[in-house]
Amino acid sequence: MLSANISAVSYLISGILFILALRGLSSPETSRQGNYFGILGMIIAITVTFLSIGSFSTGFIVVLIFLLVGGSIGAFIAYKIPMTAMPELVAGFHSLVGLAAVFVAIAAFLNPGAFNLGSPGNIKLGSLIEMSIGAAVGAITFSGSIIAFLKLQGIMSGSPITFKGQHPLNALILISIIVITYFLCSTQSSNLFWILLAISFLIGFLLIIPIGGADMPVVISMLNSYSGWAAAGIGFTLENTALIITGALVGSSGAILSYIMCKGMNRSFFNVILGGFGGTEQSSSSQSKEQRPVKSGNADDAAFLMKNASSVIIVPGYGMAVAQAQHALREMVDTLKKNDIKVSYAIHPVAGRMPGHMNVLLAEANVPYDEVFELEEINNDFANADVAFVIGANDVTNPVAKTDPQSPIYGMPVLDVEKCKSVLFVKRSLSPGYAGIDNDLFYKENTLMLFADAKKMTEDITKNL
């Protein structure tokens, strides 16, 4: 068994490595190094915790078995998971973090002596408060992440699910959690503990179901923050320095990311926390897509427009991820560059299904980082560009966000693609995006729809070029 001093120093080192990991992950150029720091920090933390158990008893063997089983399952999932399913995976893993926090809280409440927290019915007040907070946030994270997973996987509709009195009910439940926590700390009643867990699971569902699909990237980062705070709360209960540091880092970085994304989407940060956004009903005044004419073309038409352009802006979206078209896109761009055509990429902060989804895909195809621009950096360039090549993006290019107050995406900053001289829009059909609304860009005079699989169309354009 490791001494307390060695454990403390080791946890401190792992915490520093986690901080370096976050610093590395802040840029695509250093993200690989950041991952290595994070892996090393986690190996140290797990090893120290493992060696702190004590002698090679039955409990030691059980922990080893579960460690190997869990590690094997995680490695298998990570190896098999496609990039398109990464958002669902993240939501799923968040749910497991929340559930782990709940299980640890249950174990500590039922057997506080094993954690040096006192005895049943006589648990230290500070530990009970930490335990209650960790359990409640963990339960909210678990049930909320399950809903996010179901929506991202398409098992549940991505449309907001609302009902009359939803917000007052949410407020009442949140107040009840605070009141029950107070009485739980006063009486240490096991019944109150189970009630606290039950209503925390319930509020997790209720907070996420009214959130629309277009806002799901913000939900992912928000749940990431929740999972961190749940881990930190349980870390205090267990007096585990590594868990406290890791949880605080994840919680604070997730909260900051949520704030940045809310600002980029013109959403209220507090509405996100309370699950009160994304529930605006769609305008019924817009024409159905069957009644509105569109212009469609083929790879030869697209190649002709690009050949005669001096500048092209690429707008990638989730459709590119589904078709795995990033490598074909890179080949097309290389061909354009050989013809002295300026090419750049425009990335919306919520393109795809999670923060940075498009950046990861483009980095996978070795797209130079200096050619990739965020919305604020490139939006003014569309008016001066000859061609915008939209490959799979939908909601993030929809002009309705600027014109229709009844739209669920109204107020969200979008890429000003319609200002380009010509817009080439690669899409399988005229079906709406994840927000469930029609895209007015399809019907603009300067838009040419390219109905095809994104990868196949891009490869055909390259051949014609």
Side-chain angles (χ1 to χ4, degrees):
M1 183 175 179
L2 293 179
S3 68
N5 288 339
I6 294 177
S7 297
V9 172
S10 299
Y11 284 146
L12 179 61
I13 292 172
S14 67
I16 293 171
L17 288 170
F18 291 144
I19 294 171
L20 292 174
L22 279 179
R23 179 67 184 89
L25 291 171
S26 65
S27 168
E29 294 167 310
T30 57
S31 59
R32 192 180 297 272
Q33 185 184 55
N35 267 315
Y36 290 146
F37 282 133
I39 291 169
L40 181 58
M42 188 56 68
I43 289 173
I44 293 173
I46 291 174
T47 302
V48 172
T49 303
F50 192 56
L51 295 177
S52 299
I53 295 173
S55 60
F56 284 85
S57 60
T58 303
F60 191 97
I61 301 301
V62 170
V63 171
L64 179 60
I65 291 172
F66 278 101
L67 189 65
L68 292 175
V69 171
S72 300
I73 293 173
F76 178 78
I77 292 174
Y79 180 75
K80 286 290 186 179
I81 199 79
M83 273 304 302
T84 50
M86 195 61 68
E88 296 96 304
L89 178 68
V90 171
F93 280 174
H94 287 164
S95 72
L96 295 178
V97 174
L99 190 60
V102 171
F103 282 156
V104 172
I106 291 173
F109 185 80
L110 296 178
N111 188 14
F115 302 90
N116 297 317
L117 304 179
S119 59
N122 191 30
I123 301 172
K124 299 175 186 175
L125 179 60
S127 299
L128 192 57
I129 293 172
E130 296 156 2
M131 187 191 308
S132 302
I133 294 173
V137 177
I140 293 170
T141 303
F142 172 74
S143 53
S145 297
I146 292 297
I147 296 297
F149 174 84
L150 294 175
K151 287 196 173 194
L152 289 165
Q153 190 69 18
I155 298 173
M156 177 184 286
S157 170
S159 301
I161 300 173
T162 58
F163 55 87
K164 190 175 181 181
Q166 189 169 38
H167 296 309
L169 175 61
N170 288 350
L172 179 63
I173 294 175
L174 288 170
I175 293 171
S176 299
I177 289 175
I178 297 172
V179 173
I180 291 172
T181 300
Y182 171 79
F183 283 107
L184 173 62
C185 294
S186 301
T187 64
Q188 302 204 13
S189 166
S190 59
N191 289 334
L192 288 177
F193 179 76
W194 296 115
I195 293 172
L196 175 66
L197 287 180
I199 63 173
S200 296
F201 280 123
L202 176 62
I203 193 64
F205 287 115
L206 295 176
L207 285 175
I208 305 302
I209 59 173
I211 299 177
D215 297 316
M216 201 49 65
V218 186
V219 175
I220 294 293
S221 61
M222 178 184 70
L223 290 171
N224 178 46
S225 178
Y226 286 178
S227 68
W229 296 125
I234 295 302
F236 279 107
T237 300
L238 301 180
E239 297 182 353
N240 186 301
T241 308
L243 200 54
I244 295 170
I245 294 173
T246 307
L249 286 173
V250 173
S252 56
S253 61
I256 292 168
L257 179 59
S258 298
Y259 174 76
I260 292 171
M261 295 188 71
C262 287
K263 192 175 179 182
M265 295 175 67
N266 196 31
R267 303 295 194 196
S268 166
F269 180 66
F270 292 103
N271 280 349
V272 176
I273 295 174
L274 299 175
F277 71 107
T280 309
E281 290 189 9
Q282 184 178 336
S283 173
S284 59
S285 62
S286 59
Q287 290 178 283
S288 66
K289 53 182 176 290
E290 289 80 6
Q291 297 173 321
R292 304 173 69 181
V294 297
K295 292 190 293 184
S296 63
N298 53 36
D300 189 47
D301 300 323
F304 176 79
L305 286 170
M306 288 189 180
K307 279 180 188 175
N308 293 282
S310 59
S311 63
V312 174
I313 299 179
I314 311 289
V315 181
Y318 188 63
M320 182 189 77
V322 173
Q324 288 290 287
Q326 60 269 28
H327 297 284
L329 181 65
R330 169 67 194 272
E331 290 177 17
M332 185 191 81
V333 169
D334 288 342
T335 306
L336 291 172
K337 288 179 183 177
K338 289 176 183 176
N339 292 321
D340 296 323
I341 298 171
K342 180 187 175 184
V343 182
S344 51
Y345 297 81
I347 306 292
H348 193 281
V350 294
R353 291 290 181 272
M354 67 178 184
H357 201 177
M358 295 302 105
N359 302 76
V360 172
L361 289 173
L362 294 178
E364 184 187 344
N366 295 316
V367 171
Y369 301 126
D370 59 359
E371 294 177 6
V372 181
F373 299 92
E374 298 294 330
L375 179 144
E376 297 86 358
E377 300 172 305
I378 201 170
N379 229 10
N380 292 331
D381 295 344
F382 282 104
N384 302 316
D386 295 309
V387 175
F389 185 73
V390 184
I391 178 168
N394 199 332
D395 297 322
V396 297
T397 62
N398 196 339
V400 164
K402 298 178 283 187
T403 59
D404 185 2
Q406 298 304 311
S407 170
I409 63 171
Y410 180 70
M412 182 179 85
V414 292
L415 293 162
D416 294 331
V417 176
E418 75 275 10
K419 295 181 180 179
C420 260
K421 294 176 184 176
S422 299
V423 178
L424 300 173
F425 208 121
V426 184
K427 205 171 185 296
R428 289 179 181 271
S429 68
L430 290 175
S431 60
Y434 206 70
I437 58 174
D438 209 12
N439 190 344
D440 270 10
L441 185 60
F442 298 162
Y443 314 105
K444 297 288 184 181
E445 281 294 321
N446 58 335
T447 299
L448 186 69
M449 298 298 298
L450 305 173
F451 295 113
D453 173 80
K455 184 177 181 181
K456 177 75 166 56
M457 175 58 70
T458 306
E459 289 172 343
D460 290 344
I461 293 173
T462 304
K463 290 176 185 175
N464 281 280
L465 286 171

